Amino acid sequence: MDARDTPPDPGPTQGDERERLAQMFEQAPSMMALLREPNHRIVLANPAFQRLFGDAPIVGRIAAEVLPQAFSATGVNRLDEAFRTGEPIRITDARLPIQSGVPGASDERILDLLLQPVRDPGGDVIGIFVQGSDVTDRVLAERRLKSSFEIKTVGIIYWGPDFGLTRVNDAFLRMTGFTREEALGLTWQELTPPEFWPASEWAVHQVNTVGEAIPYEKQYFRKDGTRWWGLFAPRRVSAEEVVEFVLDVTERREAEEAVRDREQRLRLIVDSATDYAIMTLSPDRRITSWSPGAAKTFGYDAAEVLGELVDILFTPEDREAGIPAQEAETARRARSAANVRWHLRKDGSRVFINGSSNLLRSAAGEEIGFLKIGRDESDRRMAEDVLRETEQRYRLAAQATNDVIWDWNLQTDHLRWSEAMGTMFAYGPGDLEETGRWWKSKIHPEDRDRVVSSIERAIAGRDKGWAAQYRFERKDGSHAEVLDRGTVLRDETGQARRMVGAMHDLTPHKQAEAVLRQLNETLEHRVLEEVAARMKIEDTLRQSQKLEAIGQLTGGVAHDFNNLLTVIRGAAEMLRRPTLPEEKKARYIQAIADTADRAAKLTSQLLAFSRRQALKPEVFNVGHRIEGIRDMLATVVGAGVTLAVNTDCDVCYVEADPSQFETALVNMAVNARDAMKDVGELRIEIEPTSSIPPVRGHRASTGDFVAVRVSDSGSGIDAEKLAQIFEPFFTTKEVGKGTGLGLSQVYGFAKQSGGEVAVESVVGEGSTFTMFLPRVPAEVGEATVAQLREEAQGRGHILVVEDNEQVGAFSTDLLAELGFTTTWAPNADAALRHLAENPRHYAAVFSDVVMPGMNGVELGLEIRRREPGLPVILTSGYSHVLAQEGSHGFELLHKPYSIEDLTRVLRRAILDRSTARAR
């Protein structure tokens, strides 16, 4: 059978079409129902329509029975209208109460309905077709949106297709300051600062692609141009419109900025507080932050300790005792724990910290760690330890003696007494008033003025010591005879600050003396005779010791002077020969001059020993001065002694008497030579130093000094003799081979120059003598040494004051030879008369120091008072006045002096006066 034989498909039958329509009716999402008129009976209803009424059957019933009572009248009236007019009626937002399934509760659905009349072939309305949609969700959403649009704290804006504002709520207008008319039409570019455009463009992209953007923060412009921060959440609601919710977060951002500023200021404070170690710890005591002050205090960089247990800062004994954990537990319990103890630095040294450990909690009260703050008080702690040790020694010393120990603060008048005040005078702690005023009130009235005056003189003067014997009142009103001694402690300016001392009760001694006196009254005469005999023996012994010392001195000095006089006498006799050639005359004259210089050095040595030699200090380089006498030293020590000299020091300048320095050096070299018995090695070295070690019971002192060391390989010195070697006349040499003045001169020169002499010796190995002299800055020394020494040109009238007629005649003749005009005065009174007659006649005054009546220093002071600008030059070979009182600023020439020295001093004085007048 081919296709032509196949019968045609008849197509869908009428029954099939009805079936499809029935299925569509049943499955339609919208509500459908057919009502037959005229009484609106429901003949058909799809499931969507049925759900409005729950499980109750509605087909076959009339609308008035099915519809809820609240909607029944309205609904039936509209059905009647559609039936009567035959026109379709649309009902929007119809509210239909329905049962919610919960007993006693109801719900409401909002419907959009279409009432479509159904006509028969004749055109009469025979029914109503009802079609509706449930728009409850849409209406409620619009209602919520409308309500939210009226929220006062959230801005709501709508953007059109070109992102221009189409709607805005009042909250947004308050945020920006625009009116509604001004805001509508504005674009986001006009409202957004340029730096936030990238964020806004990304939000626009998200809205256009996924329908909404992740909420983000940015700034907007207000109408007045100021800015505010907002949190923006845009979302597309239709193809043509985007809604954006805006929350003003300006206050939060400003608060956050304030927090950041506060944190930054706090960090700056922490970083700048370098005197304090500041760190934070986690709850398990690990270091989480580390300040610069902590790095300075403990020596660790932050990278070295962050994450480490804070235990590394505690000492081993504290770690072993569990102190770190105990401190944390105390802070947890009491919110704070003291941290006052020794800690450990990175280099192993210890540092005393005074601080605390404080518990940190979050705003919610949760523990987040600890804050540790501490300050390095090592110096204070060590000072306190020293003070405690000192006080302990003071208490032990006070307890070990029966004397009353006292300490008087002269600034506050606080006077502290030892416990012996109770045992000696019966005063208890409550009886004592710890003031100087109370002490003075307890002195016997007859002794008070004398004692108070003496102690006030000691405080006002420069003396350190004070002593007084007086009667002191006991608690019972009786008086004890006491010997009170004290020492004044002064500051660097010489101001008296404190006095410390001890009060000794002489009463038992006085009583014993009285008893002894009474018992020995009959023996007094015999005792006097015995005492007289003993004193005679002691005088004889002292005279013998003096004669022995003078004998030693005479032997040595006479030997030296005989040698010098031999040279002078021989040279003088040779000069008497008329046939002596000029060359030899000059040589003998030079020999006399050199020998006179050596004799002057010998007398200077004796005067330095006796402490009556007024030194003539000059600034000189120690190394250069030693090199200048190196050959002489080699000659002095002899060929059997190897001389090694190291004078390499560019800063070794001192201000001292160069002649006395050379003499001291020769004396130490001679002493070393004799100790080596003319064979051995002698080393001389110099170096700068900043301290002098403790010497012969004196404490060490600090400052700038030059140390001159003279070391020998001799026999050494016995320990028991070391304390005597600087005593005058002490010598271990045979009689006639030494005066015992050599090392005394060294000692005298060093002490008068502001220095010291130290000695170290080992028997059988040798000795080292170190002479310390105050060092002057190198620049001062170089400038002084480099100063040109100009020769004098005789000019001016000199008033010569000399009580010795021969010396006065020689001086005036010498000055006349040099070109000066002179007037001689035999004493100070005559000199003052000359000056009174013609004060402007004289260019300078040249005076001896030691003279009958007014001495040279007193004369100079009087001339300075009368004629302040007139130069005064003093000269002396032996003057206790200068040694004790100084030269008072006057230029000083030592006898015997050379012509060069005299002319140099006079010319400099005259030139200085001329320069001062020119100004």
Side-chain angles (χ1 to χ4, degrees):
M1 179 180 295
D2 58 23
R4 290 176 298 178
D5 298 329
T6 302
D9 186 2
T13 64
Q14 188 175 6
D16 293 336
E17 186 66 23
R18 287 180 178 177
E19 182 66 25
R20 282 195 298 273
L21 290 174
Q23 291 178 355
M24 292 174 60
F25 182 79
E26 291 291 330
Q27 297 174 5
S30 59
M31 297 171 289
M32 295 182 183
L34 181 63
L35 281 65
R36 179 175 296 174
E37 297 304 331
N39 54 1
H40 315 308
R41 187 177 298 278
I42 301 172
V43 295
L44 289 176
N46 71 348
F49 192 89
Q50 176 68 48
R51 281 194 293 271
L52 290 175
F53 305 97
D55 298 332
I58 59 174
V59 176
R61 300 176 62 189
I62 61 176
E65 296 174 347
V66 173
L67 293 175
Q69 184 176 1
F71 185 73
S72 176
T74 301
V76 170
N77 291 335
R78 300 309 297 272
L79 289 172
D80 288 343
E81 182 180 354
F83 175 73
R84 185 178 61 256
T85 63
E87 297 293 330
I89 295 176
R90 185 176 297 276
I91 303 174
T92 60
D93 294 343
R95 300 177 183 276
L96 180 68
I98 62 174
Q99 295 298 321
S100 64
V102 179
S106 64
D107 200 354
E108 182 182 68
R109 306 304 295 175
I110 301 174
L111 308 176
D112 281 351
L113 299 175
L114 175 63
L115 306 182
Q116 178 65 47
V118 179
R119 298 177 184 274
D120 60 12
D124 294 329
V125 176
I126 60 173
I128 302 296
F129 181 73
V130 180
Q131 181 181 4
S133 299
D134 189 342
V135 294
T136 304
D137 292 340
R138 177 180 62 79
V139 171
L140 291 178
E142 290 177 351
R143 190 181 302 164
R144 285 193 296 271
L145 181 59
K146 182 178 180 181
S147 299
S148 64
F149 207 66
E150 297 173 355
I151 296 175
K152 296 182 179 181
T153 58
V154 179
I156 302 176
I157 54 180
Y158 282 85
W159 302 101
D162 297 329
F163 281 92
L165 287 177
T166 58
R167 285 188 288 170
V168 295
N169 70 345
D170 292 339
F172 181 78
L173 295 176
R174 283 193 298 272
M175 294 175 186
T176 60
F178 290 106
T179 63
R180 195 176 308 276
E181 291 75 15
E182 292 170 337
L184 295 180
L186 293 176
T187 65
W188 64 264
Q189 291 92 339
E190 294 175 291
L191 293 170
T192 305
E195 61 266 29
F196 293 98
W197 283 12
S200 298
E201 290 170 345
W202 175 246
V204 170
H205 172 74
Q206 289 179 303
V207 168
N208 288 335
T209 54
V210 298
E212 61 181 339
I214 299 173
Y216 67 104
E217 293 183 3
K218 66 176 180 179
Q219 286 185 334
Y220 251 26
F221 285 123
R222 294 188 181 92
K223 177 181 177 180
D224 61 6
T226 59
R227 299 183 179 196
W228 58 282
W229 280 95
L231 173 64
F232 295 85
R235 183 175 184 179
R236 183 170 291 282
V237 294
S238 68
E240 301 295 328
E241 204 168 35
V242 173
V243 65
E244 189 165 24
F245 296 90
V246 183
L247 184 64
D248 188 344
V249 295
T250 303
E251 290 185 1
R252 177 177 63 78
R253 290 299 294 251
E254 290 176 348
E256 291 174 352
E257 186 66 26
V259 170
R260 281 193 294 271
D261 289 344
R262 187 164 59 250
E263 290 177 348
Q264 184 177 10
R265 287 195 298 272
L266 180 60
R267 172 54 57 188
L268 292 174
I269 293 172
V270 170
D271 290 347
S272 62
T274 55
D275 288 340
Y276 290 86
I278 303 174
M279 68 193 81
T280 56
L281 311 178
S282 63
D284 60 351
R285 305 200 313 277
R286 296 191 178 276
I287 299 172
T288 55
S289 69
W290 188 255
S291 74
K296 173 185 174 183
T297 302
F298 294 102
Y300 289 100
D301 292 332
E304 296 177 290
V305 295
L306 290 179
E308 298 290 336
L309 281 171
V310 75
D311 300 21
I312 63 173
L313 305 179
F314 286 78
T315 61
E317 57 269 26
D318 281 353
R319 290 199 296 266
E320 185 176 352
I323 297 299
Q326 294 175 18
E327 181 182 285
E329 288 305 315
T330 301
R332 286 191 177 98
R333 184 175 60 256
R335 300 186 65 84
S336 179
N339 179 29
V340 183
R341 57 177 56 86
W342 288 99
H343 287 68
L344 209 60
R345 288 191 178 99
K346 178 182 177 181
D347 60 7
S349 62
R350 298 197 173 198
V351 54
F352 189 83
I353 298 298
N354 185 355
S356 62
S357 182
N358 303 279
L359 182 66
L360 297 178
R361 293 187 181 276
S362 66
E366 180 183 358
E367 177 185 325
I368 59 176
F370 302 92
L371 170 66
K372 288 179 69 69
I373 302 176
R375 185 173 186 176
D376 179 0
E377 295 191 354
S378 303
D379 293 342
R380 180 187 62 80
R381 177 70 178 201
M382 289 187 287
E384 290 176 352
D385 291 343
V386 171
L387 180 60
R388 278 194 296 272
E389 292 175 2
T390 302
E391 291 179 346
Q392 184 178 12
R393 287 195 296 269
Y394 168 80
R395 286 194 299 271
L396 293 175
Q399 293 171 1
T401 180
N402 292 326
D403 293 347
V404 175
I405 308 299
W406 51 268
D407 187 343
W408 187 12
N409 187 324
L410 300 176
Q411 308 301 307
T412 62
D413 197 38
H414 180 263
L415 185 57
R416 180 180 177 186
W417 302 96
S418 68
E419 296 176 357
M421 277 294 280
T423 58
M424 287 180 59
F425 305 118
Y427 287 110
D431 304 321
L432 294 173
E433 181 182 333
E434 295 185 334
T435 64
R437 183 178 61 256
W438 180 86
W439 164 70
K440 295 173 184 177
S441 70
K442 297 300 178 181
I443 300 174
H444 194 283
E446 296 178 0
D447 300 335
R448 187 175 298 140
D449 290 344
R450 171 179 56 84
V451 175
V452 172
S453 297
S454 69
I455 200 168
E456 287 178 350
R457 284 195 303 271
I459 294 171
R462 292 294 176 181
D463 296 336
K464 290 185 177 180
W466 167 81
Q469 186 172 328
Y470 58 91
R471 287 164 289 179
F472 184 76
E473 183 181 339
R474 298 187 183 94
K475 183 179 179 181
D476 61 6
S478 62
H479 286 83
E481 191 79 23
V482 299
L483 174 61
D484 207 350
R485 288 167 292 193
T487 299
V488 182
L489 303 180
R490 305 181 186 275
D491 58 20
E492 61 277 3
T493 66
Q495 182 71 26
R497 295 295 180 183
R498 293 170 57 205
M499 280 192 74
V500 294
M503 183 189 295
H504 181 67
D505 188 358
L506 295 175
T507 304
H509 302 281
K510 294 290 184 179
Q511 292 172 348
E513 287 175 359
V515 172
L516 185 62
R517 217 171 18 250
Q518 184 178 4
L519 292 174
N520 292 320
E521 284 180 356
T522 57
L523 301 175
E524 184 176 353
H525 181 69
R526 190 170 60 185
V527 170
L528 290 175
E529 290 180 347
E530 184 68 25
V531 169
R534 179 171 296 181
M535 291 178 63
K536 184 176 181 181
I537 294 172
E538 290 177 353
D539 289 341
T540 303
L541 178 60
R542 279 194 293 271
Q543 186 67 19
S544 175
Q545 291 173 338
K546 288 181 180 179
L547 290 174
E548 181 182 357
I550 292 172
Q552 293 178 4
L553 174 63
T554 303
V557 174
H559 174 75
D560 292 339
F561 264 102
N562 281 335
N563 289 338
L564 299 174
L565 291 173
T566 298
V567 175
I568 294 173
R569 183 172 183 176
E573 289 179 353
M574 292 299 294
L575 288 171
R576 289 174 180 168
R577 296 185 178 183
T579 60
L580 190 68
E582 291 297 326
E583 178 183 352
K584 289 187 176 181
K585 284 183 179 180
R587 188 165 72 246
Y588 287 132
I589 292 173
Q590 185 63 43
I592 292 174
D594 293 343
T595 306
D597 287 341
R598 287 196 293 274
K601 288 185 178 180
L602 180 58
T603 58
S604 295
Q605 174 180 331
L606 292 172
L607 293 174
F609 150 67
S610 68
R611 296 296 182 88
R612 294 196 174 186
Q613 172 64 44
L615 299 182
K616 181 182 177 183
E618 295 180 9
V619 176
F620 61 87
N621 185 290
V622 175
H624 295 170
R625 185 64 64 170
I626 294 175
E627 290 294 339
I629 63 170
R630 182 171 186 167
D631 293 341
M632 184 181 73
L633 290 173
T635 302
V636 168
V637 299
V641 175
T642 301
L643 179 63
V645 179
N646 180 9
T647 59
D648 184 15
C649 179
D650 294 333
V651 297
C652 290
Y653 286 89
V654 300
E655 185 174 9
D657 189 318
S659 176
Q660 290 293 308
F661 172 76
E662 293 176 358
T663 301
L665 195 62
V666 169
N667 283 334
M668 288 191 288
V670 170
N671 185 73
R673 178 201 67 191
D674 295 343
M676 294 185 290
K677 301 187 184 303
D678 299 330
V679 177
E681 181 183 7
L682 177 65
R683 299 186 305 279
I684 300 177
E685 302 171 299
I686 65 173
E687 67 173 357
T689 183
S690 59
S691 64
I692 298 177
V695 178
R696 293 179 294 281
H698 298 289
R699 291 183 297 180
S701 58
T702 59
D704 293 329
F705 301 95
V706 174
V708 181
R709 291 189 177 86
V710 179
S711 305
D712 64 66
S713 58
S715 58
I717 306 171
D718 293 335
E720 59 271 13
K721 294 181 179 179
L722 281 176
Q724 299 176 271
I725 59 175
F726 295 113
E727 294 179 2
F729 309 125
F730 178 81
T731 179
T732 58
K733 302 172 187 177
E734 300 176 6
V735 176
K737 291 190 176 181
T739 62
L741 298 177
L743 292 181
S744 294
Q745 182 274 336
V746 175
Y747 176 79
F749 164 69
K751 297 297 285 186
Q752 282 188 278
S753 300
E756 186 58 89
V757 180
V759 59
E760 299 175 351
S761 184
V762 179
V763 175
E765 296 183 9
S767 304
T768 297
F769 286 81
T770 305
M771 180 166 57
F772 297 92
L773 297 175
R775 181 165 61 91
V776 299
E779 58 271 18
V780 175
E782 291 168 359
T784 304
V785 172
Q787 184 178 359
L788 294 177
R789 307 294 183 117
E790 299 182 12
E791 293 186 358
Q793 298 176 1
R795 185 171 62 249
H797 198 136
I798 308 299
L799 177 59
V800 179
V801 187
E802 172 62 60
D803 63 318
N804 187 296
E805 185 175 353
Q806 292 180 344
V807 176
F810 172 76
S811 299
T812 54
D813 290 344
L814 179 60
L815 291 171
E817 288 292 331
L818 295 173
F820 291 99
T821 303
T822 61
T823 296
W824 171 58
N827 52 53
D829 292 337
L832 291 175
R833 284 195 299 272
H834 285 298
L835 288 174
E837 294 171 358
N838 194 350
R840 301 186 180 276
H841 184 61
Y842 300 98
V845 177
F846 181 54
S847 174
D848 191 14
V849 173
V850 180
M851 296 184 298
M854 184 183 294
N855 61 44
V857 174
E858 295 170 339
L859 172 62
L861 294 174
E862 181 62 22
I863 293 174
R864 180 182 291 172
R865 185 184 68 80
R866 295 186 182 186
E867 300 291 335
L870 183 62
V872 177
I873 297 94
L874 302 179
T875 180
S876 179
Y878 175 80
S879 175
H880 67 283
V881 175
L882 293 177
Q884 293 175 355
E885 301 180 4
S887 62
H888 292 273
F890 299 117
E891 186 71 40
L892 177 65
L893 268 180
H894 292 287
K895 293 180 180 179
Y897 47 80
S898 66
I899 295 176
E900 289 80 3
D901 289 341
L902 178 58
T903 54
R904 174 178 56 81
V905 170
L906 286 173
R907 183 171 188 271
R908 184 168 62 189
I910 294 171
L911 287 177
D912 289 346
R913 186 188 189 193
S914 300
T915 303
R917 284 181 171 179
R919 293 174 183 170

